[in-house]
Amino acid sequence: MTKNDEEGPPRPGPRTLSEQELSGLLGGSGFGVLATNKRSGHPHLTTMLYHWDPQARLLRFATTADRVKVRHLRRDPRAALHVATPDHMAFVVAEGRAELTAVTGTPGDDIGRELLSLLPAPPPPGEEQSVLAGLVDERRLVVRLLVDRLYGTALDGAG
């Protein structure tokens, strides 16, 4: 608890989240802000859908080969994902090194199948091949962020 005598009673301070809480926060969202490094050293921020694999400590993102973040990650693979709770009273940051797959080149190849697994919902029955072909046409690939550091805090009972 922190206290400022001029402002009244003590208010809760930030609480460091445990590894389990951090992983749970990552697993409960699916949306976050990915930070990559511009050549100038400034961050480039992009809101992304992601998939979290806590056992592998792996975040995966689908993107297209022509995106700025892909160029940044080819030059400097360091990246971070920031995820906040809907009330913004807690957050987690996952830092690590990104690996980029090749672009899916043939409908149904391994990369296309991995991309398909990252969709928020499976394609409607009978449309899987069409979706896989679309992923090839869009020049999609997977960004795999190998997480080596998780940190974050929560403000319990604030408000």
Side-chain angles (χ1 to χ4, degrees), residues 122-128:
E127 294 187 25
E128 183 176 290

Coordinates of all heavy atoms in Angstrom, one line a residue, residues 122-128:
P122 N -12.4 -22.3 -37.0 CA -12.0 -23.1 -38.2 C -12.9 -22.6 -39.4 O -14.0 -22.1 -39.2 CB -12.4 -24.5 -37.8 CG -13.3 -24.4 -36.6 CD -13.0 -23.1 -35.9
P123 N -12.4 -22.9 -40.6 CA -13.2 -22.5 -41.7 C -14.5 -23.3 -41.8 O -14.5 -24.4 -41.3 CB -12.3 -22.8 -42.9 CG -11.0 -23.3 -42.4 CD -11.1 -23.4 -40.9
P124 N -15.5 -22.8 -42.4 CA -16.8 -23.6 -42.5 C -16.5 -24.8 -43.3 O -15.6 -24.9 -44.1 CB -17.7 -22.6 -43.3 CG -17.1 -21.2 -43.1 CD -15.7 -21.5 -42.9
P125 N -17.3 -25.9 -43.1 CA -17.2 -27.1 -43.8 C -17.1 -26.9 -45.3 O -17.9 -26.2 -45.9 CB -18.4 -28.0 -43.4 CG -18.8 -27.4 -42.1 CD -18.5 -25.9 -42.1
G126 N -16.1 -27.6 -45.9 CA -16.0 -27.5 -47.4 C -15.2 -26.3 -47.9 O -15.0 -26.2 -49.1
E127 N -14.8 -25.4 -47.0 CA -14.1 -24.2 -47.4 C -12.6 -24.2 -47.0 O -11.9 -23.2 -47.2 CB -14.8 -22.9 -46.8 CG -16.1 -22.7 -47.4 CD -16.8 -21.4 -47.0 OE1 -16.0 -20.5 -46.7 OE2 -18.0 -21.3 -47.0
E128 N -12.1 -25.2 -46.4 CA -10.7 -25.3 -45.9 C -9.7 -25.0 -47.1 O -8.8 -24.3 -46.9 CB -10.4 -26.6 -45.2 CG -9.0 -26.7 -44.7 CD -8.8 -27.9 -43.9 OE1 -9.3 -28.1 -42.8 OE2 -8.0 -28.7 -44.4

